[in-house]
Amino acid sequence: MSKIYQILNKYANKYMNTRIVFVFDVLMSVLATLCSVLFVKILYRNDIFSTSVVLLWLLISAAISIIVIRVFKTYRIIIRHMSLTEFTYFVLLAFVKCVLMALIFIAMYGYSFGVVVLIASDFFFSFGAFFALRAMILMIYELFNSKLQEKKKGLNVLVYGVGLKSVSLIPRLKESRHYNIVGFIQFGNVGVSHVISDLKAFYVTSESEFKNVINASRADALLFADDEDARIEKERIIKYAIASGVKLLFAPAIDEMVDGKPVQNLRNIEIEDLLMRPEIKISMGEIMENFKGKTIMVTGAAGSIGSELCRQLVTFGIDKLVLFDNAETPMHNLRLELEEKYPQMRIIPVIGDVRLLPRLDYVFKMWRPQVVFHAAAYKHVPLMEENPCEAVLVNAAGSRNVADKCLEYGAEMMVMVSTDKAVNPTNIMGCTKRLAEIYVQSLGLAIENGHISGKTKFVTTRFGNVLGSNGSVIPRFREQIAKGGPVTVTHPEITRFFMTIPEACRLVMEAATMSSGNQIFVFDMGESVKIDDLARRMIQLAGFTPDDDIKIEYTGLRPGEKLYEEVLANTENTMPTNHSRIRIAEVREYDYEEAKNMTDTLEHLSRIVDVPSMVRLMKQIVPEFISQNSKYEEFDRK
């Protein structure tokens, strides 16, 4: 018996040879003609056709059938994937065949009512024969395939939802050796369950009902076809599934790409799927038009934000892309990735440091970038609290250097990537990013007011934490869970805002497109997320129980860290834009000469490592900078 199943397994999923289907179609068509002749003979109860006439008529039917079937090519239609639309081809095939035969019969024997009956019956018998042949083949295939499914070892899967995306997973997974769809499930009470493609659709409103469905369907996993469904159900069905030990899966969209290839396999639901808000819609066409044919430069190109900016920019029809970063290996990897995927694009990798003016001058002089995305920065709060001079040199002085070169070489626009930590900063890193904002905006205002000659527009964008960025909390938690814990959280009440790297980059480019210059754009990041809840949910998604299987340890706030991030300071107002999720911050304006002198002084103090004087000056320039959990609290004015 196992030998039979091996043979079935070998041939069940192969397509039937088109020549065989063609021969069967011709035979069925001739058989339909024979049936129509017999029907007319029985109907009229006389020998209307002699044997010789019948044989001639069958030969004519065979000849016409061969011609018509080859014209319509119905034998090439894959039977198990046929739709209602494709059945219309068989109606047309039978109709054309019968019209041609009618013309020949009338030419040979003249017109009579019997001819009408003969041709009409031939039409219905022919279409019925074509339909019956395919129905029979499909039934045999389904029978064999169901036997193989019974023998096949794989996950029994309940698909969430009954919409088009969910139902479309049936043919997509039908041939899978790893997953068996056993039904559909959805939250809600519709009163009566129903059946979709022979699979039952279950509706649940409580955890107990969910467990009953799991037991009844013997499901091992719950599959989502839409990421929005997963976010909606994170506190209902997903919570029930985690409590019941049911595996959570996600089916990527057909057009979702990884490394330039479509994603075919299902994947486990990750915490990123549950954290995301509904995706912010961006006018990509307008953005593409804004950058098309231009030379673009990205500082910090090998970092999380910079590299994603590069990946998106190369698809916009730009002329050249200048990559600027001091990290050799990440830069090398990014260059190889972009050159492999976009061989026609001019990629110019430059190893350099924003602290070094001669190197920046060389790049601007050589390539004359028209738009500069400034993403180079030191971003880790505790590390910068311990190395404040380097934070000032890179984040403040480095940003000044890039802005000055944009002005000197006539760049159309500089877009600076800032952070929510620049709002009411409590740490060195956040304050240095606010200092960068002050300098860049004051320079733009000086140009706008005619105090300095130039044409460059300066735009600043603020957003919070990005999911999966280098050194962020989610990869760290994932590593700690993989090691069996403990998972370390600084404080049980600490919260953060999150968005994905691609979304953050699209928002940056959208802000650049809509900006008239000298503005600080802030993004609506949705609701903040409690990091403790994040850690517990990640442990549960990994199949463990928080505090039992994997411990959570609270380590205390790190130097300079605050419990709650802000996108806008309390003293700031915002103005709306034509994008509902992007607003313009109204901040204090600084005189350019004053901002320049302060930045120059801070750079000097950082180079001679006079930390006390440097931090005191930072707090004078940014009076809302109040250190928290830091040794620099002693410098705060009473």
Side-chain angles (χ1 to χ4, degrees), residues 49 185 261 274 295 534 579 596:
F49 292 115
I185 189 169
K261 298 178 181 178
L274 307 183
T295 298
L534 172 68
H579 194 293
K596 181 180 184 302

Side-chain angles (χ1 to χ4, degrees), residues 314-478:
V314 292
T315 66
F316 291 172
I318 64 174
D319 182 33
K320 291 185 285 290
L321 180 61
V322 181
L323 317 177
F324 190 86
D325 205 299
N326 64 357
E328 178 201 15
T329 300
M331 172 75 92
H332 174 68
N333 293 335
L334 177 64
R335 175 192 191 174
L336 293 179
E337 175 192 338
L338 296 178
E339 288 182 343
E340 179 182 355
K341 293 180 181 177
Y342 308 96
Q344 76 286 354
M345 175 58 60
R346 184 90 181 272
I347 306 293
I348 303 156
V350 179
I351 297 296
D353 196 311
V354 294
R355 290 170 289 194
L356 301 177
L357 267 174
R359 188 61 172 158
L360 274 174
D361 187 75
Y362 163 79
V363 174
F364 275 86
K365 184 185 298 182
M366 178 65 68
W367 303 111
R368 304 278 176 166
Q370 294 158 282
V371 180
V372 176
F373 288 93
H374 177 48
Y378 281 151
K379 66 177 184 177
H380 295 294
V381 169
L383 198 58
M384 293 304 100
E385 209 70 10
E386 297 165 343
N387 299 272
C389 296
E390 294 307 306
V392 168
L393 284 172
V394 172
N395 294 352
S399 297
R400 178 207 60 196
N401 293 342
V402 175
D404 288 350
K405 290 302 170 185
C406 286
L407 177 64
E408 180 181 348
Y409 286 94
E412 296 173 9
M413 178 177 289
M414 171 182 164
V415 184
M416 190 178 78
V417 176
S418 189
T419 170
D420 55 0
K421 294 174 179 62
V423 183
N424 290 333
T426 60
N427 50 66
I428 293 292
M429 194 283 285
C431 184
T432 57
K433 293 297 284 185
R434 178 65 189 126
L435 289 166
E437 290 180 357
I438 290 170
Y439 182 85
V440 168
Q441 189 178 32
S442 68
L443 177 57
L445 289 171
I447 297 171
E448 186 178 290
N449 296 329
H451 301 151
I452 295 177
S453 61
K455 65 174 185 178
T456 307
K457 295 179 181 179
F458 293 94
V459 184
T460 299
T461 58
R462 284 181 186 167
F463 51 83
N465 300 274
V466 288
L467 295 171
S469 62
N470 297 332
S472 64
V473 66
I474 290 177
R476 177 164 174 75
F477 283 173
R478 199 165 277 141

Side-chain angles (χ1 to χ4, degrees), residues 109-124:
Y109 301 105
Y111 174 80
S112 68
F113 182 72
V115 174
V116 175
V117 176
L118 176 67
I119 297 304
S121 59
D122 196 317
F123 170 78
F124 287 108

Side-chain angles (χ1 to χ4, degrees), residues 140-204:
I140 294 171
Y141 169 79
E142 292 289 349
L143 178 63
F144 286 173
N145 204 45
S146 63
K147 293 295 182 182
L148 292 174
Q149 295 288 341
E150 292 174 5
K151 300 292 290 183
K152 180 178 70 176
K153 292 181 179 179
L155 287 177
N156 289 334
V157 175
L158 275 174
V159 176
Y160 178 85
V162 293
L164 184 60
K165 281 188 177 181
S166 300
V167 175
S168 67
L169 291 177
I170 296 175
R172 186 172 169 186
L173 295 181
K174 197 169 188 178
E175 316 299 339
S176 172
R177 298 182 179 182
H178 307 291
Y179 307 101
N180 310 314
I181 297 181
V182 295
F184 297 87
I185 189 169
Q186 187 160 321
F187 191 89
N189 186 6
V190 298
V192 180
S193 61
H194 53 275
V195 174
I196 302 173
S197 296
D198 296 327
L199 297 170
K200 190 171 182 180
F202 301 93
Y203 291 84
V204 299

